[in-house]
Amino acid sequence: MKKIQLQPNTFLYPMPLVIVGTMADDRPNFITIAYCGIVQHTPPMISIASSKVHFSNKWIKRNRSFSVNIPSSDMIELTDYIGMYSGRETDKSEICELFCGDIPSAPMIKQSPLSLQCKLMESIEVGGVNEIFIGEILKVYANEDCITNGLPDITKLQPILFSMHDNNYWGVGKHLGKAWNIGKNFNPNTKKDGQ
Ligand SMILES: Cc1cc2nc3c(=O)[nH]c(=O)nc-3n(C[C@H](O)[C@H](O)[C@H](O)COP(=O)(O)O)c2cc1C
């Protein structure tokens, strides 16, 4: 297959989509975030990158905590709405049912099948535009019916995947194989040219 070069851009496929919650004084506020990643396994830490212009940033830093809610595909309109309107002008505290768990400054969304409460460990400014917040996951709340063998089950969570450069939301596709396992079938002596 012929390769063509594209301009450097953040072409990362797919991206998860999360809704980050924090308290703005005494009002819960939420922001949709696609720039979310795992930092390390033990102790469990994740990162989010949020533009400095966003209302949420100041409160995440002030509270030193935030929640990360994994929306399921039936929350797509809510997720998009939260990503379109800033808490600076729009009160997003009444648009869904909330619960507060053990860390009241990190409000969570009841409809979300999986929610994490994080303690802010570090804020890093990169490139002048975004702030990266690294949070240690202290609490995890999951819907009972989304658990298989004690763990969150992707087929039950039905998370939303995001394709950023064409602004599209996608669902989870078909199962391809078991990790740390299917590679045992690979024959290193056969090379494919991508045809
Ligand atoms: C699908 C989607 C993904 C988004 N991902 C990010 C992101 O990763 N980082 C970011 O800074 N803003 C992101 N945004 C924009 C914010 O969610 C949006 O500006 C929001 O209104 C900010 O809320 P706040 O001002 O109440 O904090 C995203 C928006 C959408 C719709």
Coordinates of all heavy atoms in Angstrom, one line a residue, residues 15-18 20 22 27 29-36 48-57 59-60 79-90 92 129-131 162 164 167-169, ligand 1:
M15 N -10.2 7.7 20.8 CA -10.0 8.4 22.1 C -11.2 8.1 23.0 O -12.3 8.0 22.5 CB -10.0 9.9 21.9 CG -8.8 10.3 21.0 SD -8.9 12.0 20.5 CE -8.4 12.8 21.9
P16 N -10.9 7.9 24.3 CA -12.1 7.7 25.2 C -12.7 9.0 25.4 O -12.1 10.1 25.0 CB -11.4 7.2 26.4 CG -10.1 7.8 26.4 CD -9.7 7.9 25.0
L17 N -13.9 9.1 25.9 CA -14.5 10.3 26.3 C -15.0 10.2 27.7 O -15.6 9.2 28.1 CB -15.7 10.5 25.4 CG -16.1 11.9 24.9 CD1 -15.0 12.7 24.4 CD2 -17.2 11.8 23.9
V18 N -14.6 11.3 28.5 CA -15.0 11.3 29.9 C -15.7 12.6 30.3 O -15.5 13.6 29.6 CB -13.8 11.0 30.8 CG1 -13.2 9.6 30.5 CG2 -12.8 12.1 30.8
V20 N -15.7 15.2 33.4 CA -14.9 15.5 34.6 C -15.8 16.4 35.5 O -16.3 17.4 35.0 CB -13.6 16.1 34.3 CG1 -12.9 16.7 35.5 CG2 -12.7 15.0 33.6
T22 N -16.3 18.7 39.1 CA -15.7 19.4 40.3 C -16.7 20.4 40.8 O -17.8 20.6 40.3 CB -14.4 20.1 39.8 OG1 -13.7 20.6 41.0 CG2 -14.7 21.3 39.0
R27 N -21.5 24.8 43.7 CA -22.3 24.3 42.6 C -21.4 23.3 41.8 O -20.3 23.6 41.4 CB -22.6 25.5 41.7 CG -23.2 25.2 40.3 CD -23.9 26.3 39.7 NE -23.1 27.4 39.3 CZ -22.4 27.5 38.1 NH1 -22.5 26.5 37.3 NH2 -21.7 28.5 37.8
N29 N -20.0 21.4 38.7 CA -19.8 21.7 37.3 C -19.1 20.5 36.6 O -18.3 19.8 37.2 CB -18.9 23.0 37.2 CG -18.9 23.5 35.7 OD1 -19.9 23.8 35.2 ND2 -17.7 23.5 35.1
F30 N -19.4 20.4 35.3 CA -18.8 19.3 34.6 C -18.3 19.8 33.2 O -18.7 20.8 32.7 CB -20.0 18.3 34.3 CG -20.5 17.6 35.6 CD1 -21.5 18.2 36.3 CD2 -19.8 16.5 36.1 CE1 -21.9 17.6 37.5 CE2 -20.2 16.0 37.3 CZ -21.3 16.5 38.0
I31 N -17.2 19.0 32.8 CA -16.6 19.4 31.5 C -16.3 18.0 30.8 O -15.9 17.1 31.4 CB -15.3 20.1 31.7 CG1 -14.5 20.3 30.4 CG2 -14.4 19.5 32.7 CD1 -13.3 21.3 30.5
T32 N -16.6 18.0 29.5 CA -16.3 16.9 28.6 C -14.9 16.9 28.2 O -14.4 17.9 27.8 CB -17.2 16.9 27.4 OG1 -18.6 16.8 27.8 CG2 -17.0 15.7 26.4
I33 N -14.2 15.8 28.4 CA -12.8 15.7 28.1 C -12.5 14.5 27.3 O -12.8 13.4 27.6 CB -12.0 15.6 29.4 CG1 -12.0 17.0 30.2 CG2 -10.5 15.2 29.2 CD1 -11.1 18.1 29.7
A34 N -11.8 14.7 26.1 CA -11.3 13.6 25.3 C -9.8 13.4 25.6 O -9.3 12.3 25.3 CB -11.5 13.9 23.8
Y35 N -9.1 14.4 26.1 CA -7.6 14.2 26.3 C -7.4 13.6 27.7 O -7.1 14.3 28.7 CB -6.9 15.5 26.3 CG -7.0 16.3 25.0 CD1 -7.7 15.8 23.9 CD2 -6.4 17.5 24.9 CE1 -7.7 16.5 22.7 CE2 -6.4 18.3 23.7 CZ -7.1 17.8 22.6 OH -7.2 18.5 21.4
C36 N -7.7 12.3 27.8 CA -7.6 11.6 29.1 C -6.8 10.4 28.9 O -6.9 9.7 27.9 CB -9.0 11.2 29.5 SG -9.1 10.3 31.1
I48 N -5.7 14.3 32.8 CA -6.6 14.9 31.8 C -5.9 16.2 31.4 O -5.2 16.8 32.1 CB -8.0 15.3 32.4 CG1 -7.9 16.1 33.7 CG2 -8.8 14.0 32.7 CD1 -9.2 16.7 34.2
A49 N -6.2 16.6 30.1 CA -5.6 17.9 29.7 C -6.8 18.8 29.4 O -7.7 18.5 28.6 CB -4.8 17.7 28.4
S50 N -6.8 20.0 30.0 CA -7.9 20.9 29.8 C -7.4 22.3 29.5 O -6.4 22.8 30.2 CB -8.7 20.9 31.1 OG -9.8 21.9 31.0
S51 N -8.0 22.9 28.5 CA -7.5 24.3 28.1 C -7.6 25.3 29.3 O -8.6 25.2 30.0 CB -8.4 24.8 26.9 OG -8.1 26.1 26.7
K52 N -6.6 26.1 29.4 CA -6.6 27.1 30.5 C -7.8 28.0 30.5 O -8.1 28.6 31.6 CB -5.3 27.9 30.4 CG -4.1 27.2 30.9 CD -3.0 28.2 31.2 CE -1.9 28.2 30.1 NZ -0.8 29.1 30.3
V53 N -8.4 28.1 29.4 CA -9.6 29.1 29.4 C -10.8 28.5 30.1 O -11.8 29.2 30.4 CB -10.0 29.5 27.9 CG1 -8.8 30.1 27.2 CG2 -10.5 28.3 27.1
H54 N -10.8 27.2 30.3 CA -12.0 26.5 30.8 C -12.3 26.9 32.3 O -11.3 27.0 33.1 CB -12.0 25.0 30.7 CG -12.0 24.6 29.2 ND1 -12.7 25.3 28.3 CD2 -11.5 23.5 28.6 CE1 -12.6 24.7 27.1 NE2 -11.8 23.6 27.3
F55 N -13.6 27.0 32.6 CA -14.0 27.4 33.9 C -13.6 26.3 34.9 O -13.2 26.6 36.1 CB -15.6 27.4 33.9 CG -16.3 27.8 35.1 CD1 -16.0 29.1 35.7 CD2 -17.2 27.0 35.7 CE1 -16.7 29.4 36.8 CE2 -17.9 27.3 36.8 CZ -17.6 28.6 37.4
S56 N -13.6 25.0 34.5 CA -13.3 23.9 35.5 C -11.9 24.0 36.1 O -11.7 23.6 37.2 CB -13.4 22.6 34.7 OG -14.7 22.4 34.3
N57 N -10.9 24.5 35.3 CA -9.5 24.4 35.8 C -9.3 25.0 37.1 O -8.6 24.4 38.0 CB -8.6 25.1 34.7 CG -8.6 24.3 33.4 OD1 -9.6 23.7 33.0 ND2 -7.4 24.3 32.8
W59 N -11.2 25.5 39.5 CA -11.9 24.7 40.6 C -11.2 23.4 40.9 O -11.1 23.0 42.1 CB -13.4 24.5 40.3 CG -14.0 25.9 40.1 CD1 -14.5 26.4 39.0 CD2 -14.3 26.8 41.1 NE1 -15.0 27.6 39.1 CE2 -14.9 27.9 40.5 CE3 -14.1 26.9 42.5 CZ2 -15.3 29.1 41.2 CZ3 -14.5 28.0 43.2 CH2 -15.1 29.1 42.5
I60 N -10.7 22.8 39.9 CA -9.9 21.5 40.1 C -8.7 21.9 40.9 O -8.4 21.1 41.9 CB -9.5 20.9 38.7 CG1 -10.7 20.4 38.0 CG2 -8.5 19.8 38.9 CD1 -10.5 19.9 36.5
T79 N -23.4 14.3 27.1 CA -21.9 14.5 27.0 C -21.6 15.6 26.1 O -20.7 16.4 26.4 CB -21.3 13.1 26.5 OG1 -21.7 12.1 27.4 CG2 -19.8 13.2 26.5
D80 N -22.2 15.7 24.9 CA -22.0 16.7 23.9 C -22.4 18.1 24.5 O -21.7 19.1 24.4 CB -22.8 16.4 22.7 CG -22.2 17.1 21.5 OD1 -21.0 17.1 21.2 OD2 -23.0 17.7 20.7
Y81 N -23.6 18.1 25.2 CA -24.1 19.4 25.8 C -23.0 19.9 26.8 O -22.7 21.1 26.7 CB -25.4 19.1 26.5 CG -26.0 20.3 27.2 CD1 -26.9 21.1 26.5 CD2 -25.7 20.6 28.5 CE1 -27.5 22.2 27.1 CE2 -26.2 21.7 29.1 CZ -27.1 22.5 28.4 OH -27.7 23.6 29.1
I82 N -22.5 19.0 27.6 CA -21.6 19.5 28.7 C -20.3 20.0 28.0 O -19.7 21.0 28.5 CB -21.3 18.3 29.6 CG1 -22.5 18.0 30.5 CG2 -20.0 18.6 30.5 CD1 -22.4 16.8 31.4
G83 N -20.0 19.5 26.8 CA -18.8 19.9 26.1 C -19.0 21.2 25.3 O -18.1 21.7 24.7
M84 N -20.3 21.7 25.2 CA -20.6 22.9 24.4 C -20.8 24.1 25.2 O -20.7 25.2 24.7 CB -21.8 22.6 23.5 CG -21.5 21.7 22.3 SD -22.9 21.7 21.2 CE -24.2 20.9 22.1
Y85 N -21.2 23.9 26.5 CA -21.5 25.1 27.3 C -20.6 25.2 28.5 O -20.5 24.2 29.2 CB -23.0 25.0 27.7 CG -23.9 25.0 26.4 CD1 -24.5 23.8 26.0 CD2 -24.2 26.2 25.7 CE1 -25.2 23.8 24.8 CE2 -24.9 26.2 24.6 CZ -25.5 25.0 24.1 OH -26.2 24.9 23.0
S86 N -20.1 26.4 28.7 CA -19.2 26.6 29.9 C -20.0 26.9 31.1 O -21.0 27.6 31.1 CB -18.2 27.7 29.6 OG -17.5 28.0 30.8
G87 N -19.5 26.3 32.2 CA -20.1 26.6 33.5 C -20.0 28.1 33.9 O -20.6 28.6 34.9
R88 N -19.2 28.8 33.2 CA -19.1 30.3 33.4 C -20.4 31.0 33.1 O -20.8 31.9 33.8 CB -18.0 30.9 32.5 CG -17.3 32.0 33.1 CD -16.0 32.4 32.3 NE -14.8 31.8 32.8 CZ -14.1 30.9 32.1 NH1 -14.4 30.7 30.8 NH2 -13.0 30.4 32.6
E89 N -21.1 30.5 32.1 CA -22.4 31.1 31.7 C -23.6 30.2 32.0 O -24.7 30.6 32.1 CB -22.5 31.5 30.2 CG -21.4 32.5 29.8 CD -20.1 31.9 29.3 OE1 -20.2 30.7 28.8 OE2 -19.1 32.5 29.4
T90 N -23.3 28.9 32.0 CA -24.4 27.9 32.0 C -24.3 27.1 33.3 O -23.2 26.5 33.6 CB -24.4 27.0 30.8 OG1 -24.4 27.8 29.6 CG2 -25.5 26.0 30.7
K92 N -24.6 23.9 34.9 CA -24.7 22.5 34.5 C -25.0 21.5 35.7 O -24.8 20.3 35.6 CB -23.4 22.0 33.8 CG -23.2 22.8 32.4 CD -21.9 22.3 31.7 CE -20.7 23.1 31.9 NZ -19.6 22.8 31.1
V129 N -1.2 26.4 26.3 CA -2.6 26.3 26.0 C -3.3 25.4 27.1 O -4.3 25.8 27.7 CB -2.9 25.7 24.6 CG1 -4.4 25.5 24.4 CG2 -2.3 26.6 23.5
N130 N -2.8 24.2 27.3 CA -3.5 23.3 28.2 C -2.8 23.2 29.5 O -1.6 23.5 29.7 CB -3.5 21.9 27.6 CG -4.5 21.8 26.5 OD1 -5.4 22.6 26.3 ND2 -4.4 20.7 25.7
E131 N -3.6 22.8 30.5 CA -3.1 22.3 31.8 C -3.4 20.8 31.9 O -4.5 20.4 31.5 CB -3.8 23.0 32.9 CG -3.3 24.5 33.1 CD -4.1 25.2 34.2 OE1 -5.3 25.3 34.1 OE2 -3.4 25.7 35.1
F162 N -14.3 8.6 20.5 CA -14.4 9.9 19.8 C -13.3 9.9 18.7 O -12.2 9.5 18.9 CB -14.1 11.0 20.9 CG -14.1 12.4 20.4 CD1 -15.1 12.8 19.6 CD2 -13.1 13.3 20.7 CE1 -15.1 14.1 19.1 CE2 -13.1 14.6 20.3 CZ -14.1 15.0 19.5
M164 N -11.6 12.6 16.7 CA -11.6 14.1 17.0 C -11.6 15.0 15.7 O -12.3 15.9 15.7 CB -10.3 14.5 17.8 CG -10.3 15.9 18.2 SD -9.1 16.3 19.4 CE -7.6 16.1 18.5
N167 N -15.0 15.1 14.2 CA -16.0 15.4 15.2 C -17.1 14.3 15.2 O -18.3 14.6 15.0 CB -16.7 16.7 14.9 CG -15.8 17.9 15.2 OD1 -14.7 17.7 15.8 ND2 -16.2 19.1 14.7
N168 N -16.7 13.0 15.3 CA -17.7 11.9 15.3 C -17.6 11.1 16.6 O -16.5 10.9 17.1 CB -17.6 11.1 14.1 CG -18.2 11.7 12.9 OD1 -19.4 12.0 12.9 ND2 -17.4 11.9 11.9
Y169 N -18.7 10.6 17.1 CA -18.8 9.7 18.2 C -19.1 8.3 17.7 O -19.9 8.1 16.7 CB -19.9 10.1 19.2 CG -19.8 11.5 19.8 CD1 -20.7 12.5 19.6 CD2 -18.7 11.8 20.6 CE1 -20.6 13.7 20.2 CE2 -18.5 13.0 21.2 CZ -19.5 14.0 21.0 OH -19.4 15.2 21.5
Ligands
LIG1 C1 -16.3 15.8 22.4 C2 -15.7 16.9 23.2 C3 -14.4 16.6 23.7 C4 -13.7 17.7 24.4 N1 -12.5 17.4 24.9 C5 -11.8 18.4 25.5 C6 -10.5 18.2 26.1 O1 -10.0 17.1 26.0 N2 -9.9 19.2 26.6 C7 -10.4 20.5 26.7 O2 -9.8 21.4 27.2 N3 -11.7 20.7 26.2 C8 -12.4 19.7 25.7 N4 -13.7 19.9 25.2 C9 -14.3 21.3 25.4 C10 -14.9 21.5 26.8 O3 -15.6 20.3 27.2 C11 -15.9 22.7 26.7 O4 -15.2 23.8 26.3 C12 -16.6 22.9 28.0 O5 -17.8 23.7 27.8 C13 -15.8 23.6 29.1 O6 -16.6 23.6 30.3 P1 -16.2 24.6 31.5 O7 -15.9 25.9 31.0 O8 -17.5 24.6 32.3 O9 -15.1 24.0 32.3 C14 -14.4 18.9 24.6 C15 -15.7 19.1 24.0 C16 -16.3 18.1 23.4 C17 -17.7 18.3 22.8

